[in-house]
Amino acid sequence: MNIGIIGGGQLGMMMAESAIKQGHDVNALDHAWTAPIKGYSKNLFTDGFTHKAGYQKLYEISDVLTYEFENVSLNWVNHFVDKIPQKTKALEISRHRLIEKEFASSLNIKTPHYELFDQSHTYTYPFILKTTTLGYDGHGQYRINSKEDINKIKDIHSLELIKEEIIKFDDEISVVCTRDQFGNIAVFPIPRNIHKNGILHLSILDDKISEEVKQTATTYAKDIITALDYVGTLAVEFFVCGKEVLFNEFAPRPHNSGHYTIEGCNVSQFDNHILAVTGNEVITPNLLSKTVMLNILGQDLEITKKCESMDQVYVHMYHKKEAKHNRKMGHVTITGDDCLEKLALIIGETK
């Protein structure tokens, strides 16, 4: 089957790896010839995501299309949706934080308190402000401790913002799951996620999350993916406060916190995504051992050298042209009972 991937970043690259492994051909649409997916696609169209031309080319040579990030053109995805099993409802909702929170609330899923921010109102500090659109990896998020913090936000008068309460959570977790066209939902083991500066740093698979919390989060994620009538891999992020599970956001695509599944499970989030969008049944995931995933940012490239001589340590680089501070350049997966000890050796000397 010919699979067209809209987006050529690392998620598209890893989708392509799984697709090729399953015997498919891959074509892609991006805006740059240097996109990570370049070495995996038979045709890479660089018309970008705002014009019809690239989508049309990809559509004509593909049996099925899938998108690997949210900020594609909703207009053109709608236009070519007959070949897109993920459909567009998940895109429409996830790309607007207020609508996303309202959607979760409509499913009786608990969320932190939220409201549309009004600059004329007087609020009690502190709180979090987030842009309703185009936010990722900490971008478009602001902790507000005083009026002065609000005044520091560039172009605030032109921004639509959502105000959220600050949650004192015990853990952040994510439920990565894949739904096929038959309605089967495969749920991956749930990691604890640790962030630095709004960017995912570690995903840890251990026994520190209670079964009660896992069950609640799994039920919420299944409710979301079913209500969206979504086919493919999707991730839902939650805050854990004691036994309470609060919805944060969802991503209609494979997710950074699910990268551990490539070595940590019998089937990866990318494998199941490709199975689902090509009309096959998903495979039930099982954790093979304790596992931890570490993101490699532009300033952390030296850690890859420490991994070379270690067993059960797997380095995945994204083949990006330029290393930048806080830019995701790759990830490391460590498996086995001693994975946390190996992690300490890898990151112990980095800044």
Side-chain angles (χ1 to χ4, degrees), residues 15-16 45 93 96 105 113 123 127-128 146 154 161 196 217 223 244 273 283 293 309 326 343:
M15 282 184 190
F45 303 116
I93 293 172
H96 195 285
S105 297
H113 176 76
Y123 295 104
F127 55 85
I128 299 292
S146 66
K154 186 178 179 180
L161 299 162
K196 285 187 176 181
D223 288 346
E244 191 171 48
H273 182 77
I283 296 171
M293 189 281 299
S309 60
N326 283 347
L343 173 68

Side-chain angles (χ1 to χ4, degrees), residues 172-232:
E172 292 180 272
I173 62 173
S174 54
V175 179
V176 177
C177 52
T178 312
R179 180 174 178 267
D180 61 31
Q181 65 179 12
F182 311 104
N184 302 309
I185 302 172
V187 180
F188 288 88
I190 298 174
R192 292 188 296 119
N193 297 322
I194 298 171
H195 291 78
K196 285 187 176 181
N197 301 316
I199 303 171
L200 183 64
H201 177 51
L202 297 170
S203 289
I204 302 172
L205 279 296
D206 55 22
D207 55 3
K208 292 189 177 180
I209 303 298
S210 73
E211 290 303 317
E212 181 179 355
V213 164
K214 289 179 182 178
Q215 185 57 55
T216 300
T218 296
T219 298
Y220 285 166
K222 285 184 173 181
D223 288 346
I224 287 171
I225 201 169
T226 300
L228 295 169
D229 192 24
Y230 181 91
V231 172

Side-chain angles (χ1 to χ4, degrees), residues 64-349:
V64 66
L65 300 175
T66 180
Y67 48 81
E68 62 111 35
F69 75 117
E70 292 92 322
N71 295 320
V72 297
S73 167
L74 189 58
N75 177 49
W76 296 124
V77 171
N78 268 314
H79 188 80
F80 297 109
V81 74
D82 62 296
K83 286 189 179 181
I84 303 177
Q86 288 157 287
K87 308 179 184 67
T88 57
K89 186 175 181 179
L91 272 182
E92 293 170 353
I93 293 172
S94 66
R95 65 200 302 164
H96 195 285
R97 284 188 168 114
L98 182 60
I99 295 173
E100 184 181 43
K101 288 289 198 299
E102 291 172 343
F103 170 71
S105 297
S106 74
L107 298 175
N108 295 316
I109 297 173
K110 294 181 180 180
T111 73
H113 176 76
Y114 65 90
E115 60 184 284
L116 193 63
F117 178 68
D118 186 337
Q119 292 186 61
S120 67
H121 286 187
T122 299
Y123 295 104
T124 300
Y125 305 104
F127 55 85
I128 299 292
L129 280 182
K130 298 179 180 179
T131 56
T132 55
T133 59
L134 300 177
Y136 66 96
D137 286 347
H139 295 283
Q141 298 187 32
Y142 312 91
R143 182 185 175 98
I144 305 300
N145 296 306
S146 66
K147 179 69 173 178
E148 288 69 30
D149 289 335
I150 296 175
N151 294 335
K152 291 176 184 177
I153 299 175
K154 186 178 179 180
D155 300 324
I156 187 170
H157 296 287
S158 63
L159 296 175
E160 184 181 52
L161 299 162
I162 182 174
K163 173 186 173 290
E164 294 184 14
E165 69 172 312
I166 294 176
I167 298 297
K168 295 181 179 179
F169 55 83
D170 299 312
D171 284 294
E172 292 180 272
I173 62 173
S174 54
V175 179
V176 177
C177 52
T178 312
R179 180 174 178 267
D180 61 31
Q181 65 179 12
F182 311 104
N184 302 309
I185 302 172
V187 180
F188 288 88
I190 298 174
R192 292 188 296 119
N193 297 322
I194 298 171
H195 291 78
K196 285 187 176 181
N197 301 316
I199 303 171
L200 183 64
H201 177 51
L202 297 170
S203 289
I204 302 172
L205 279 296
D206 55 22
D207 55 3
K208 292 189 177 180
I209 303 298
S210 73
E211 290 303 317
E212 181 179 355
V213 164
K214 289 179 182 178
Q215 185 57 55
T216 300
T218 296
T219 298
Y220 285 166
K222 285 184 173 181
D223 288 346
I224 287 171
I225 201 169
T226 300
L228 295 169
D229 192 24
Y230 181 91
V231 172
T233 294
L234 176 146
V236 189
E237 297 181 38
F238 298 99
F239 300 117
V240 178
C241 307
K243 295 182 179 180
E244 191 171 48
V245 178
L246 300 177
F247 171 85
N248 181 28
E249 61 186 17
F250 75 84
R253 50 171 173 76
H255 194 256
N256 194 175
S257 66
H259 292 350
Y260 80 88
T261 61
I262 297 173
E263 285 87 21
C265 293
N266 60 311
V267 61
S268 79
Q269 63 168 342
F270 301 101
D271 294 337
N272 261 350
H273 182 77
I274 296 300
L275 285 171
V277 300
T278 54
N280 296 289
E281 290 190 11
V282 292
I283 296 171
T284 300
N286 295 303
L287 189 67
L288 300 177
S289 69
K290 287 185 178 180
T291 303
V292 61
M293 189 281 299
L294 166 69
N295 265 332
I296 303 172
L297 304 183
Q299 63 270 30
D300 300 325
L301 291 176
E302 73 276 8
I303 69 174
T304 60
K305 296 179 181 178
K306 299 181 182 181
C307 301
E308 293 174 355
S309 60
M310 292 187 177
D311 293 331
Q312 294 182 279
V313 176
Y314 309 91
V315 178
H316 297 258
M317 299 306 296
Y318 302 154
H319 312 299
K320 293 182 177 179
K321 185 177 180 181
E322 183 180 1
K324 296 181 181 179
H325 187 82
N326 283 347
R327 188 184 194 191
K328 293 174 184 174
M329 303 301 295
H331 73 268
V332 177
T333 305
I334 312 167
T335 62
D337 290 340
D338 61 348
C339 61
L340 292 179
E341 288 82 358
K342 288 178 180 175
L343 173 68
L345 292 174
I346 291 168
I347 66 175
E349 298 175 12

